[in-house]
Amino acid sequence: MLILNNMEKLCTQCLYIGHEEAHFYGNFTTESILWGMAFFFALAGAFETFLWIPATIIFFLALLYSIGSYTFKACVCSKCHKDSMIPVNSEKAQQIIIEHGLIAPDVTSKQDQRTIVGIAFRSIFLILTTILVIFMLYKHFE
Ligand SMILES: [Zn+2]
């Protein structure tokens, strides 16, 4: 049974076969709060253009935080949390699988629903805030 999903990986540390876990270095709550604040200030700034300075600063802070946490992303084994996963279809992985007589578990691709909702929610905030900031700056500098 060596026919496996291409997306699956083998952990050379604990011999776990499955999907990697993506760890974002950024804190999800911090990011949500930053975007919430950025959105609030941008919305207020769209009406009261004197708020353009704090609104722009918070917008860039949130943006930098998001970029930072997406850039410094680590993929680790979802069982032992070590950065030691290799693709199952690689030669080394196949060797380990044969050596240890491993059978790949039936891992149906299950995505963390909460993360998907969170990312979608954040994207909406990001887009709305960006539009508001552009509108606010345009209004202020026109
Ligand atoms: Zn592992």
Side-chain angles (χ1 to χ4, degrees):
M1 277 290 287
L2 296 175
I3 305 148
L4 295 160
N5 184 334
N6 284 347
M7 289 295 286
E8 282 174 5
K9 290 192 167 187
L10 168 78
C11 177
T12 55
Q13 290 289 319
C14 69
L15 305 176
Y16 165 78
I17 297 170
H19 296 282
E20 274 178 323
E21 213 175 83
H23 271 264
F24 296 106
Y25 284 102
N27 183 292
F28 187 75
T29 315
T30 310
E31 205 184 344
S32 303
I33 292 167
L34 270 173
W35 277 110
M37 271 168 60
F39 176 73
F40 177 78
F41 270 92
L43 191 67
F47 295 102
E48 304 291 341
T49 47
F50 68 88
L51 282 169
W52 76 274
I53 298 172
T56 311
I57 291 168
I58 293 164
F59 171 70
F60 277 107
L61 276 178
L63 199 64
L64 281 175
Y65 195 90
S66 288
I67 293 167
S69 52
Y70 280 108
T71 310
F72 303 108
K73 188 185 81 171
C75 287
V76 295
C77 168
S78 53
K79 206 173 165 193
C80 70
H81 300 283
K82 285 204 178 79
D83 182 22
S84 53
M85 294 203 91
I86 55 167
V88 270
N89 49 6
S90 70
E91 214 172 290
K92 201 187 167 197
Q94 294 292 330
Q95 238 172 40
I96 294 168
I97 287 166
I98 295 162
E99 235 171 77
H100 297 267
L102 299 174
I103 296 160
D106 184 29
V107 187
T108 42
S109 75
K110 49 174 181 345
Q111 281 264 26
D112 192 344
Q113 211 59 33
R114 207 183 63 119
T115 314
I116 295 169
V117 172
I119 289 167
F121 188 70
R122 217 162 30 183
S123 307
I124 293 164
F125 253 133
L126 199 148
I127 294 160
L128 278 177
T129 310
T130 309
I131 293 166
L132 281 168
V133 166
I134 292 165
F135 174 75
M136 179 189 73
L137 291 177
Y138 174 77
K139 223 175 129 184
H140 183 76
F141 288 106
E142 76 175 329

